[in-house]
Amino acid sequence: MNYVVLVKQVPDIRNVPKAAWDVEKGTLKRALLDNVCNELDKQALALASKMREVHDGRIVGLTMGPPFAAEVLRFAMSCGADVGVLLTDRKLGGADTSATAYPLAQAIRKIQEEVFNGEGDYIIVSGMQSIDGDTAQVPPQIAEELGIVHIAYATSFYFHNGNLQVQRITRRGSETVAPLGYPCLVTVTQWTQPPYPSFSRTRWAYSRELLQWDATDIKADKSRIGLTGSRTNVVRVFSPKEVGQKECVFENDMAKLVKMLRESYEKKLVSAGKEEDKPKYQLPEGKKPDYQGDIWVYAEQERGEINPASFELLGKATELAGQLNEQVGAVVVGKDIQDLSRELIAYGADKVYTADQVLLENFLPLPYAIAISDLVEKYKPQMMLFSATPLGRELAPRVAYRCKSGLTADCTGLDIVNFKKGDRELVAVLMQTRPALGGNIMASIIAQNSAVQMSTARPGVMRALEPNEERTGVVIEHKPRITESDLGAAIVSSEVHPLASEIKDAAVIVCGGGGCKTKEGFERYIPSLAESLGKFLGQDAMVGASRVAVESGFIDRSRQIGQTGQTVKPRVYVAAGVSGAVQHLTGMQNSDIILAINKDPNARIFKVADYGIVGDLEEIVPELTKALNSERA
């Protein structure tokens, strides 16, 4: 068995110097940032190295970038890779995810022929996402281009009778998935200590010659690479401060902090339900929209239950469709799902497209992408929205790539606009706004060269409509042509954890992280703080946890908050001992008021917090709990 590990050199956003920020343009000068290996790609290196201990073979590190990206390959080789392949060519510059996935897939095809001597028994391993893009789109789109299965959110693996078994995170728990053939692609999340290169191995890595290929070497179609081949276009990059980024107020006087917290909470209550008046889009007289067709939402369901994030998207789709005088469609895929149509219509769908088949009972990205793409090709919507849930982030990239459409990930804003730049004029297109570079910048993006405008949107950002059981709609049944050969993988086992569903509706949440150090520390500090804060604000408070805390055994997974847990939007969120990994921020950063407690003054959690306390939670939490109890008394 051989291995290809995708590695990427990214800017180190943990320490952004002031000189790197262009205040006037609202952009980061990336040349002034240090470049490092993407953290999750280090996990991929570790996973491949561990696999090789069981099934020996060669590890090839592959990266695409400018010539100086060779450094990340030297690092990969110093950590265990045998060969480094640098894909570099000015023609590849400016690429979006689809125009990045295609040349990387072409390079993998060349690696198979020339490095692996034509053998197809290999595993592609990648970090789940890169810190600069945060899209998680390139790996599944590489798999789509190669026509192979991909398994996302891997946390561990084993080989059974020589066959790979991957244990992965799901929204409801975990499952073990086995690819039915090779090659296959696995994306890994944080699961072990990152690899550390030895001095002797580093010397060896720098003594080796890298394979350096350009677009001609990999026989790339010029129309599918670089800016020309990109299906999305960044039209504006700006500072998050322009959209009201929070400025964290640090306060270690607990009595003073408690009073500030109450004042902020009461202000939020007064303003609750009041939305800013936003001008509605109106089509200019005499102009024709560049896109026409219905506005579609992928209605994510598991075990016959629709994910609430899909209802939020139906609310946004209703708003967008109203401005364009179009209808709202909902697509639902699975087995025995007809009864879900009524609920989707109640939440805003005018049409429900069902893809119902026995082989679609359990989610696998390959057959689901086939079923949805067939529907898109047949009915031709002008846009399609997915939730940026773990399932949505696996599925949407493959659907978009298959449909020759652009995809913008993790959007926090979706608006209809007219766009004009130079001789280029677009009418009634979807402007998609998302954070990037770990939230250091915001980007506004439009589709180009795309059949359909596609986006994934962060749960908790859009607002669901109140369900109306009196609404009527049309149900369109689609019989997908799926066979067992289309599955690509088999679910060996699954473990469903009971969700603390009420946590997503909690007004007050206290979340404990790895900073609690032990289960005893978590149990000593977090529940008591939640109880005191809840009583102080006159609300029932819930206990949550970061992924680190859950995997350390501090509390069960039903309390996990983040990208692979639950998305919450409470009035008050307290993060105690939580560092602020991107995956965690995704699940809680839309909370009204955020209080962060961390001993590291540079912890990322403070970038989204309203209030911060710097110190050891073993000292801070008892003091804060006492202050809350005293103020309440």
Side-chain angles (χ1 to χ4, degrees):
M1 185 70 73
N2 291 310
Y3 310 90
V4 176
V5 180
L6 303 177
V7 290
K8 187 177 183 183
Q9 192 173 59
V10 296
D12 187 356
I13 62 171
R14 293 171 297 182
N15 184 26
V16 180
K18 290 184 178 179
W21 184 256
D22 188 325
V23 179
E24 292 184 5
K25 295 182 179 178
T27 60
L28 282 175
K29 302 174 185 176
R30 292 180 64 153
L32 297 182
L33 301 179
D34 293 331
N35 290 304
V36 295
C37 179
N38 184 53
E39 283 298 318
L40 288 177
D41 294 343
K42 293 180 183 178
Q43 299 290 324
L45 283 165
L47 188 73
S49 297
K50 201 71 177 175
M51 286 179 173
R52 184 170 59 179
E53 292 179 10
V54 183
H55 274 288
D56 195 20
R58 304 182 78 187
I59 297 177
V60 176
L62 169 63
T63 196
M64 185 175 95
F68 63 76
E71 287 301 308
V72 78
L73 291 174
R74 301 291 183 193
F75 173 81
M77 294 170 72
S78 70
C79 291
D82 303 294
V83 179
V85 177
L86 173 61
L87 184 56
T88 184
D89 194 321
R90 287 184 179 274
K91 297 172 186 174
L92 300 171
D96 70 354
T97 60
S98 62
T100 298
Y102 167 68
L104 284 172
Q106 287 292 93
I108 291 170
R109 290 181 171 118
K110 187 176 175 68
I111 288 170
Q112 177 178 340
E113 290 303 313
E114 299 185 8
V115 183
F116 298 155
N117 299 317
E119 295 180 6
D121 281 355
Y122 62 92
I123 301 170
I124 306 163
V125 189
S126 169
M128 184 180 67
Q129 62 194 54
S130 64
I131 195 66
D132 55 344
D134 295 342
T135 67
Q137 289 177 192
V138 171
Q141 291 185 332
I142 289 174
E144 184 64 35
E145 170 63 29
L146 294 174
I148 63 175
V149 70
H150 84 272
I151 303 170
Y153 297 100
T155 56
S156 61
F157 76 95
Y158 61 93
F159 284 93
H160 178 69
N161 295 330
N163 297 316
L164 177 65
Q165 316 271 290
V166 178
Q167 293 165 318
R168 65 185 295 269
I169 295 171
T170 67
R171 173 176 168 261
R172 290 181 171 273
S174 60
E175 63 186 16
T176 301
V177 181
L180 298 179
Y182 299 101
C184 67
L185 189 150
V186 177
T187 66
V188 62
T189 184
Q190 195 163 354
W191 72 288
T192 188
Q193 290 295 319
Y196 292 98
S198 67
F199 177 72
S200 60
R201 183 75 187 186
T202 301
R203 286 190 63 188
W204 173 86
Y206 277 86
S207 72
R208 307 297 292 177
E209 188 172 338
L210 301 176
L211 297 176
Q212 184 167 315
W213 298 337
D214 60 19
T216 302
D217 293 323
I218 61 171
K219 300 179 181 178
D221 181 341
K222 293 180 181 179
S223 68
R224 299 182 64 186
I225 60 175
L227 286 170
T228 302
S230 295
R231 299 192 180 280
T232 58
N233 182 25
V234 178
V235 297
R236 182 185 177 217
V237 177
F238 57 100
S239 166
K241 293 181 181 179
E242 294 181 38
V243 289
Q245 184 191 39
K246 297 174 179 177
E247 290 289 341
C248 185
V249 176
F250 291 92
E251 182 56 69
N252 277 56
D253 183 326
M254 297 301 133
K256 186 175 180 181
L257 177 65
V258 164
K259 291 179 180 178
M260 293 165 65
L261 200 60
R262 184 190 289 279
E263 289 175 2
S264 293
Y265 177 73
E266 290 175 349
K267 286 181 181 178
K268 290 289 183 182
L269 284 181
V270 171
S271 62
K274 294 182 179 179
E275 296 187 34
E276 294 182 12
D277 290 332
K278 194 174 180 181
K280 301 286 186 182
Y281 174 83
Q282 290 186 335
L283 184 69
E285 190 173 347
K287 295 287 186 178
K288 183 180 179 181
D290 279 72
Y291 288 88
Q292 291 183 313
D294 291 344
I295 315 300
W296 279 16
V297 167
Y298 174 66
E300 180 180 323
Q301 68 83 26
E302 290 180 274
R303 299 176 183 269
E305 180 184 340
I306 297 173
N307 190 319
S310 298
F311 297 139
E312 296 171 8
L313 286 187
L314 281 171
K316 170 54 73 170
T318 300
E319 174 194 322
L320 298 174
Q323 296 175 28
L324 296 170
N325 196 28
E326 300 284 4
Q327 290 192 308
V328 175
V331 176
V332 59
V333 180
K335 174 179 174 287
D336 298 331
I337 52 173
Q338 300 298 328
D339 291 344
L340 299 178
S341 300
R342 183 177 297 278
E343 190 174 12
L344 293 168
I345 291 170
Y347 274 94
D350 300 303
K351 303 172 185 175
V352 178
Y353 300 85
T354 63
D356 194 317
Q357 209 221 55
V358 64
L359 292 176
L360 299 171
E361 180 175 9
N362 298 308
F363 171 72
L364 288 169
L366 248 175
Y368 269 53
I370 292 171
I372 296 169
S373 300
D374 286 348
L375 280 165
V376 170
E377 183 178 350
K378 183 175 182 179
Y379 294 101
K380 296 179 172 44
Q382 67 168 289
M383 72 180 72
M384 186 166 190
L385 311 179
F386 297 77
S387 298
T389 58
L391 189 153
R393 287 162 66 90
E394 283 185 71
L395 178 61
R398 294 196 78 132
V399 173
Y401 198 88
R402 196 177 186 89
C403 293
K404 297 180 173 55
S405 297
L407 177 69
T408 303
D410 294 339
C411 293
T412 55
L414 297 170
D415 299 285
I416 306 298
V417 300
N418 299 323
F419 176 77
K420 187 172 184 179
K421 187 175 182 179
D423 296 332
R424 186 184 184 196
E425 182 178 5
L426 299 172
V427 178
V429 295
L430 183 66
M431 181 73 78
Q432 305 151 86
T433 301
R434 67 178 302 267
L437 275 175
N440 285 286
I441 63 172
M442 300 293 289
S444 291
I445 298 167
I446 59 173
Q448 65 177 23
N449 308 323
S450 293
V452 183
Q453 304 168 97
M454 293 192 183
S455 306
T456 66
R458 288 192 176 180
V461 175
M462 314 301 174
R463 180 169 295 183
L465 301 173
E466 287 296 323
N468 178 3
E469 301 296 339
E470 302 300 316
R471 289 192 83 250
T472 59
V474 178
V475 178
I476 301 164
E477 296 182 8
H478 172 67
K479 297 299 181 184
R481 299 182 298 274
I482 305 293
T483 65
E484 289 191 2
S485 63
D486 294 318
L487 300 182
I491 298 174
V492 177
S493 63
S494 62
E495 184 177 355
V496 178
H497 301 296
L499 288 177
S501 56
E502 68 272 19
I503 199 171
K504 69 179 176 59
D505 301 317
V508 178
I509 296 174
V510 176
C511 178
C516 294
K517 299 178 183 176
T518 64
K519 182 177 182 180
E520 291 73 20
F522 187 98
E523 293 175 345
R524 181 181 301 122
Y525 299 115
I526 305 305
S528 59
L529 177 58
E531 181 182 6
S532 296
L533 181 60
K535 290 180 178 178
F536 173 72
L537 297 174
Q539 296 280 358
D540 290 332
M542 299 287 294
V543 171
S546 70
R547 185 184 159 202
V548 173
V550 169
E551 295 192 347
S552 298
F554 298 171
I555 195 170
D556 66 87
R557 191 176 180 277
S558 67
R559 299 289 177 173
Q560 184 176 323
I561 295 168
Q563 193 176 89
T564 52
Q566 298 205 65
T567 299
V568 297
K569 193 178 179 182
R571 296 271 182 216
V572 179
Y573 187 90
V574 178
V578 176
S579 63
V582 171
Q583 293 91 333
H584 184 77
L585 298 184
T586 297
M588 49 65 67
Q589 63 184 358
N590 292 304
S591 306
D592 288 342
I593 303 168
I594 299 173
L595 167 63
I597 304 168
N598 201 291
K599 64 182 179 181
D600 179 7
N602 297 314
R604 193 176 299 161
I605 191 69
F606 289 127
K607 291 187 176 182
V608 300
D610 299 274
Y611 301 104
I613 309 172
V614 178
D616 195 317
L617 68 83
E618 293 175 348
E619 298 176 4
I620 297 297
V621 171
E623 291 180 18
L624 178 57
T625 302
K626 183 179 178 180
L628 289 167
N629 293 337
S630 298
E631 189 70 22
R632 180 165 53 89

